[in-house]
Every structure is written in C-alpha cells, then in structure tokens.
Amino acid sequence: MDPLMAIFRALPVRLALAIGWSLLLSVLLLQGEAHPLIDLGLPRGDNTLLRELAFSTLHLLAFGATLLCWHWALPRGWHGRSRLVAACFITLSLGIATEILQGYTLDRHASWLDLVANISGALIAAKLIRLREEAR
C-alpha cells in the first residue's frame, strides 16, 4: 500500500480533515461580507434573487461535500446505517447552526433558502451514498 494512502486511511487523520473542513466552512459562512477573513472574491451587492440562488447552490454543494467528508471520516466498523446517520446528524446540525448564527453577525443574515439548500445538499449526498451501498 502506498504510504500516503495509508496516512489517509488512519481514523485520526480522517477525523482531523472532516473537522478542518467543517471549521473552514463555518468560518466562510459566518465571516462578515465587508471585511472577510478569507476572501473568496465572490461578488458583493444587493441580495437579488439570482444572487441568492447562486449562493444557495454553493450551500447545496458545500453541505453535500460535508456529508461525504463526515461519512468518509467516521469509523468504518459501525454497523448498518450508523455511520450515515451520524454523518447526517453532524452535517444537518452544522447547517442549521450556521444559519441561526448568521443572524447574529454584523452584515450577514439567516436565509430560509440557504437552510433548505444546506439540508438538501446533505440529504442528496446521503441518498447517493445509500444508492451506492445498495448497488454493492
């Protein structure tokens, strides 16, 4: 086995990467728009419907990736759907918490559309995992 792949198979490394991704996503979602800590170069401006849909699409993809990351990171020895349920719980909790906390930031706001996108991204990723597991 390739030594680099062996490192990524280690549970502590997988968990560290999932935690790191979740922290990065939280910072990106909770940072101020006027003076971001990590500037992604996204356009600023009024919250038009097109802009909201674009950002909600990013939320959907980010939370789908978050669920995949946590599913990969959690112990493979868990029985049945335990790993998928835990990954869903972590991802949905993160999605709900970041939307609630955005209401307490200076220049961000909570959005029902983003919350639906967060939940949808996680559930779509979970469904894809289930379909893949059933195909095996």
Side-chain angles (χ1 to χ4, degrees):
M1 179 187 316
D2 183 19
L4 183 60
M5 291 308 295
I7 291 171
F8 285 108
R9 290 185 192 274
L11 180 62
V13 173
R14 294 193 327 257
L15 288 173
L17 290 171
I19 292 168
W21 167 254
S22 297
L23 289 173
L24 174 64
L25 183 58
S26 297
V27 167
L28 291 173
L29 293 174
L30 296 174
Q31 67 183 348
E33 286 187 10
H35 304 288
L37 183 63
I38 303 170
D39 191 355
L40 298 177
L42 298 172
R44 291 172 176 72
D46 295 333
N47 284 333
T48 63
L49 180 60
L50 184 60
R51 186 172 190 265
E52 283 294 318
L53 288 174
F55 280 106
S56 292
T57 301
L58 291 174
H59 279 251
L60 185 129
L61 295 171
F63 281 90
T66 302
L67 185 120
L68 293 172
C69 189
W70 277 104
H71 186 263
W72 169 75
L74 293 171
R76 287 176 169 67
W78 288 7
H79 298 291
R81 298 182 192 169
S82 299
R83 189 166 58 141
L84 186 56
V85 169
C88 282
F89 178 78
I90 293 167
T91 304
L92 293 173
S93 297
L94 181 65
I96 293 167
T98 54
E99 284 306 313
I100 291 170
L101 292 172
Q102 278 182 353
Y104 296 100
T105 61
L106 294 176
D107 58 356
R108 301 291 299 262
H109 66 280
S111 164
W112 285 106
L113 189 58
D114 287 347
L115 181 61
V116 169
N118 296 352
I119 293 168
S120 297
L123 295 179
I124 290 168
K127 182 63 175 177
L128 291 174
I129 289 169
R130 290 290 301 145
L131 289 173
R132 183 169 183 248
E133 289 175 351
E134 290 172 2
R136 286 186 178 177

